């Protein structure tokens, strides 16, 4: 006998089939049927206070876990709210499954003023996702989910949007099968291209490897050691080699010494990096040059045809490529990779004093909390970290200050990251950025997520103010009224400490990481001034 269930409940069963353990969403009258099947399903639901927060939480969860972050989003305003978060995830190639409702057939796009009606919801979000599809019949849902997970598991991972018209969500689906998820392998390198790569790298006098976020889960550090090649790690690849490794170059390729290293290479192997300008030409001065032979490895063949044309283009998963190339590395004498990496790393000395102090603050956090994952907003500490923070492991440093460049990301993304595993998580935010997602303080308390928020309070948009001053622009709109964030956090269930002496910080960090709920540590420019420059 067929059990009677709605398509909304059928969706929950399908998500469990794909191993989904967590959903972020805010219930509304158009989505409540999606919630009917959550009870007893084993899927935990987290309620943010804004759909943008839901998207940022899903983003942080995906980066930390390697699994897609899943959101249940209401028709219309819910979708307009989450598009900013989808834009950040799209820019950074983060898997996110956004499941929304849409007005029923005969109502959607009618212009008759139905609740939450948009002229074309799918068109609204299509620019920030790999695809957006409408489930017109219950029988289509399983296939669309299979396509979504094919993107997550086999192609360049990006957000996917699936919308269910309300009449379809309510439709009978008890007769539908429960298909097993498709087992999908990512593409690997062609043997001829692999052999040519090994030949070029083995014959190179000055090889360099460039790694982006697409390589963060691959054994790129072992490749660097095998070919004695300095490894330049962009923001989302930090930690592929640990701090102090002789081949590690955790210095932005927008800086002169890193650019000199790359320009002096005779062979460059670029893995999982799109050569985005926010990594390679942050100041938009056009100074990045790559005159040597370029081998480029990426999942996205279309993107390899943009910008710098490679000598050899290899469509492959980074992990599979590294695994296949390692046995082909020569067992010969070491070259001068460590010396070249050391010269590049001296570029740290040219950073502004404020950045050097901030980098020492970040190192203090890293060394105090072993294994810590730091999740940054677009704020001064994060900008400094993107220049030269030395992450201890891959996936332990990420933020919204590259690519799409959103504000309000740090806190909700850190909540999502903490839900993924047991690592200590420290969110980095400024008082201006935090006010974009201030309501998510309550979300962290409700979910009992023990994140530590390191909050730089300078009563305004300090980085933009400095930018305006440097260009002789009147500083209008940057000195903002800042409420008492400590009181707001306390009222939201947070433990709050003001850090005025840098000697206090390690104990505050350890105590915060050990609590069962969230902790806010507020500091000002006086604390930054106490940090060393070396």
């Amino acid at each position: 006998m067929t059990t009677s269930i709605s398509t909304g409940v059928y969706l929950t069963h399908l998500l469990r089939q794909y191993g989904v353990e967590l959903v972020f969403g805010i219930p509304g009258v158009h989505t409540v049927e999606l919630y009917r099947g959550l009870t007893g399903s084993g899927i935990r639901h987290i309620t943010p206070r804004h759909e943008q927060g839901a998207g940022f939480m899903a983003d942080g969860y995906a980066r930390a876990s390697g699994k897609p972050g899943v959101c249940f989003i209401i028709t219309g305003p819910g979708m307009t709210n989450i598009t900013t978060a989808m834009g950040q995830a799209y820019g950074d190639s983060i898997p996110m499954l956004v499941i929304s409702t849409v007005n029923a057939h005969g109502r959607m796009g009618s212009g008759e003023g139905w609740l939450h009606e948009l002229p074309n919801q799918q068109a609204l979000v299509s620019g920030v996702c790999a695809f957006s599809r409408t489930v017109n019949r219950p029988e289509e849902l399983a296939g669309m989910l299979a396509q979504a997970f094919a993107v997550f598991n086999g192609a360049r991972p990006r957000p996917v949007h699936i919308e269910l018209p309300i009449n379809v969500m309510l439709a009978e689906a008890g007769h539908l099968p429960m298909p097993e998820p498709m087992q999908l392998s990512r593409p690997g390198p062609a043997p001829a291209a692999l052999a040519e790569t090994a030949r070029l790298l083995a014959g190179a006098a000055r090889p360099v490897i460039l790694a982006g976020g697409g390589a963060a889960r691959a054994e790129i550090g072992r490749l660097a050691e095998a070919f004695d090649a300095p490894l330049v790690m962009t923001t989302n690849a930090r930690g592929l080699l640990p701090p102090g490794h002789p081949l590690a170059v955790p210095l932005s390729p927008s800086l002169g010494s890193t650019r000199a290293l790359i320009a002096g290479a005779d062979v460059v192997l670029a893995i999982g990096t799109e050569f985005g300008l926010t990594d390679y030409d942050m100041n938009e001065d056009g100074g990045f040059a790559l005159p040597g032979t370029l081998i480029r490895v990426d999942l996205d063949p279309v993107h390899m045809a943009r910008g710098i044309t490679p000598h050899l283009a290899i469509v492959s998963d980074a992990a599979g490529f590294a695994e296949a190339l390692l046995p082909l590395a020569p067992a010969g004498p070491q070259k001068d990779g460590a010396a070249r990496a050391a010269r590049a790393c001296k570029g740290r000395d040219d950073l502004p004093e404020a950045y050097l102090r901030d980098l020492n603050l970040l190192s203090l956090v890293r060394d105090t909390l072993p294994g810590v994952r730091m999740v940054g907003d677009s704020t001064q500490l994060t900008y400094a970290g993107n220049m030269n923070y030395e992450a201890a492991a891959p996936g332990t440093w990420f933020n919204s200050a590259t690519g799409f460049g959103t504000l309000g990301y740090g806190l909700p993304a850190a909540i999502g990251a903490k839900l993924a595993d047991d690592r200590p998580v420290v969110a980095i935010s400024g008082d201006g950025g935090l006010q974009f997602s201030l309501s998510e303080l309550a979300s962290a308390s409700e979910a009992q997520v023990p994140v530590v928020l390191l909050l730089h309070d300078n009563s305004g948009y300090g980085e933009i103010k400095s930018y305006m001053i440097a260009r002789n622009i009147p500083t209008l709109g940057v000195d903002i009224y800042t409420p008492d964030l400590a009181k707001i956090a306390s009222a939201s269930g947070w433990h709050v400490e003001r850090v005025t002496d840098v000697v206090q910080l390690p104990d505050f960090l350890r105590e915060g990481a050990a609590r069962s709920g969230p902790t806010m540590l507020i500091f000002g420019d006086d604390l930054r001034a106490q940090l060393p420059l070396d």
Side-chain angles (χ1 to χ4, degrees):
M1 180 178 177
T2 300
T3 303
S4 177
I5 61 170
S6 70
T7 303
V9 173
Y10 178 57
L11 168 66
T12 306
H13 296 337
L14 288 171
L15 291 176
R16 284 299 297 150
Q17 285 282 95
Y18 281 98
V20 173
E21 299 171 336
L22 201 63
V23 167
F24 304 92
I26 303 173
V29 293
H30 280 187
T31 57
V32 288
E33 190 64 28
L34 299 179
Y35 286 78
R36 187 186 297 278
L38 281 180
T39 301
S41 69
I43 298 176
R44 183 181 179 186
H45 182 269
I46 301 295
T47 308
R49 298 303 185 263
H50 190 280
E51 288 87 358
Q52 179 173 280
F56 286 151
M57 289 179 194
D59 178 301
Y61 172 82
R63 296 189 201 227
S65 68
K67 304 174 183 178
V70 181
C71 300
F72 283 176
I73 302 298
I74 201 164
T75 323
M79 286 308 301
T80 57
N81 286 342
I82 200 174
T83 50
T84 294
M86 293 175 70
Q88 185 71 45
Y90 184 89
D92 286 347
S93 301
I94 304 302
M96 182 187 298
L97 178 58
V98 178
I99 297 171
S100 81
T101 46
V102 69
N103 291 99
H105 289 103
R107 294 183 179 183
M108 68 173 81
S110 68
E112 295 174 352
W114 296 100
L115 179 65
H116 300 329
E117 183 182 345
L118 282 169
N120 189 334
Q121 183 170 274
Q122 196 174 82
L124 173 77
V125 299
S126 61
V128 289
C129 57
F131 68 78
S132 174
R133 301 272 169 79
T134 304
V135 180
N136 289 307
R137 297 179 299 116
E139 290 77 9
E140 296 175 352
L141 179 57
M144 286 188 189
L145 275 180
Q147 292 170 42
F149 279 86
V151 170
F152 303 147
N153 298 328
R156 183 177 185 173
R158 278 177 157 162
V160 167
H161 171 235
I162 295 175
E163 62 179 15
L164 284 84
I166 294 169
N167 59 309
V168 175
M169 178 182 65
L170 297 172
E172 174 60 39
H175 62 289
L176 296 176
M178 195 60 58
E180 289 292 328
M182 177 174 59
Q183 300 300 311
L184 189 66
S185 298
R186 287 185 169 180
L194 199 66
E196 177 67 359
T197 299
R199 185 188 71 79
L200 287 169
L201 286 172
R206 300 175 306 282
V208 168
I209 297 176
L210 309 179
R217 297 181 182 274
E219 296 285 351
I220 308 303
R222 291 179 60 201
L223 273 187
E225 293 169 342
F227 290 98
D228 195 34
L231 175 57
V232 178
M233 295 167 279
T234 64
T235 294
N236 288 322
R238 298 286 169 82
L240 282 170
L241 283 175
H245 191 287
L247 293 173
V249 185
L251 199 71
S252 168
S254 288
L255 299 176
S257 63
T258 318
R259 288 178 166 186
L261 169 72
I262 298 166
D266 51 356
V267 176
V268 173
L269 173 62
I271 308 177
T273 178
E274 63 177 2
F275 289 109
L277 296 184
T278 52
D279 274 314
Y280 290 86
D281 195 13
M282 183 187 67
N283 297 315
E284 299 184 22
D285 58 17
F288 178 74
L290 214 165
T293 298
L294 173 62
I295 306 164
R296 193 167 180 186
V297 181
D298 204 286
L299 269 176
D300 188 346
V302 174
H303 199 81
M304 282 198 284
R306 299 186 180 113
I308 304 169
T309 302
H311 170 79
L312 183 61
I314 303 173
V315 178
S316 176
D317 169 65
F321 172 83
E323 183 180 351
L325 183 60
L326 275 168
L328 303 181
Q334 295 295 292
K335 303 174 185 177
D336 64 343
R340 289 185 293 126
R343 286 195 294 273
C345 288
K346 287 186 179 296
R348 175 191 172 102
D349 298 338
D350 298 327
L351 291 171
E353 286 191 3
Y355 274 19
L356 293 174
R357 295 185 194 279
D358 286 345
L359 286 168
N360 281 313
L361 177 56
L362 294 172
S363 296
L364 186 153
V365 175
R366 178 199 65 208
D367 297 341
T368 300
L369 299 175
V372 66
R373 199 186 306 277
M374 283 195 261
V375 183
D377 214 326
S378 291
T379 191
Q380 290 177 331
L381 259 181
T382 302
Y383 298 139
N386 285 351
M387 290 297 101
N388 191 212
Y389 173 65
E390 298 179 73
T396 59
W397 174 260
F398 59 84
N399 54 75
S400 62
T402 61
F404 201 53
T406 60
L407 270 169
Y409 174 89
L411 171 59
I415 293 170
K418 185 59 185 175
L419 288 164
D421 58 34
D422 292 329
R423 284 182 183 270
V425 174
V426 172
I428 299 168
S429 186
D431 58 283
L434 179 61
Q435 291 182 69
F436 276 62
S437 53
L438 196 58
S439 59
E440 304 307 346
L441 292 170
S443 305
S445 292
E446 180 177 79
Q448 282 296 289
V449 181
V451 295
V452 176
L453 172 59
L454 197 57
L455 179 67
H456 179 203
D457 187 354
N458 59 5
S459 297
Y461 301 122
E463 190 72 15
I464 300 302
K465 184 175 182 177
S466 299
Y467 187 91
M468 295 170 82
I469 290 171
R471 286 151 184 80
N472 198 30
I473 299 170
T475 55
L476 181 66
V478 290
D479 294 311
I480 60 173
Y481 172 77
T482 301
D484 190 328
L485 298 174
K487 288 184 178 178
I488 293 174
S490 294
S492 300
W494 285 58
H495 179 86
V496 180
E497 299 281 0
R498 289 192 180 274
V499 190
T500 57
D501 188 331
V502 72
V503 175
Q504 302 171 306
L505 186 56
D507 285 342
F508 283 153
L509 286 166
R510 282 188 285 264
E511 290 165 6
R515 286 193 179 90
S516 59
T519 298
M520 177 184 286
L521 302 179
I522 305 175
F523 71 97
D525 287 336
D526 56 336
L527 184 79
R528 297 169 80 204
Q530 298 172 33
L531 291 152
L533 292 172
D534 57 355

